[in-house]
């Protein structure tokens, strides 16, 4: 993460902050920058970093939800399910 921050700061200082941001998120082609080598580095970082951060955030949220549901004991979970389903009902009245 420190490498990304350093690269973005370098891009902001050499290309301009708006140009560095636009290349990072893919709004501007890296070849259109005044320093294409830096544009390509920012573009590649943006392509790798954004999906990685999105995946990490999604994984964290999903893991938290799973852990929250696992905190209920199995016996308590079965009791809740039986209470919500109403039980099997009374046996049928007779044979044939």
């Amino acid at each position: 993460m420190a490498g990304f921050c350093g690269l973005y700061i370098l891009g902001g200082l050499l290309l301009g902050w708006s140009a560095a941001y636009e290349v990072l998120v893919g709004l501007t082609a890296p070849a259109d920058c005044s320093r294409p080598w830096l544009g390509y580095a920012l573009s590649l970082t943006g392509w790798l970093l954004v999906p990685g951060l999105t995946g990490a955030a999604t994984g964290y949220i999903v893991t938290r939800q799973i852990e929250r549901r696992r905190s209920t004991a199995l016996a308590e979970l079965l009791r809740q399910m039986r209470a919500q389903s109403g039980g099997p009902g009374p046996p049928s009245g007779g044979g044939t």
Side-chain angles (χ1 to χ4, degrees):
M1 193 65 162
F4 163 72
C5 291
L7 182 64
Y8 184 69
I9 290 171
L10 181 65
L13 294 173
L14 296 178
L15 301 175
W17 296 104
S18 63
Y21 171 77
E22 289 175 358
V23 169
L24 182 71
V25 298
L27 297 175
T28 301
D32 293 343
C33 295
S34 59
R35 292 179 173 84
W37 61 270
L38 184 56
Y40 282 110
L42 278 171
S43 179
L44 180 63
T45 303
W47 277 96
L48 296 175
L49 187 68
V50 171
L53 288 176
T54 304
T58 303
Y60 176 76
I61 291 169
V62 168
T63 300
R64 293 284 302 199
Q65 292 297 321
I66 290 171
E67 286 175 354
R68 193 181 81 175
R69 283 168 174 62
R70 283 188 181 169
S71 65
T72 306
L74 181 59
E76 174 64 20
L77 185 61
L78 288 173
R79 186 195 64 73
Q80 289 176 3
M81 290 172 59
R82 286 184 184 126
Q84 290 176 358
S85 69
S92 59
T96 12

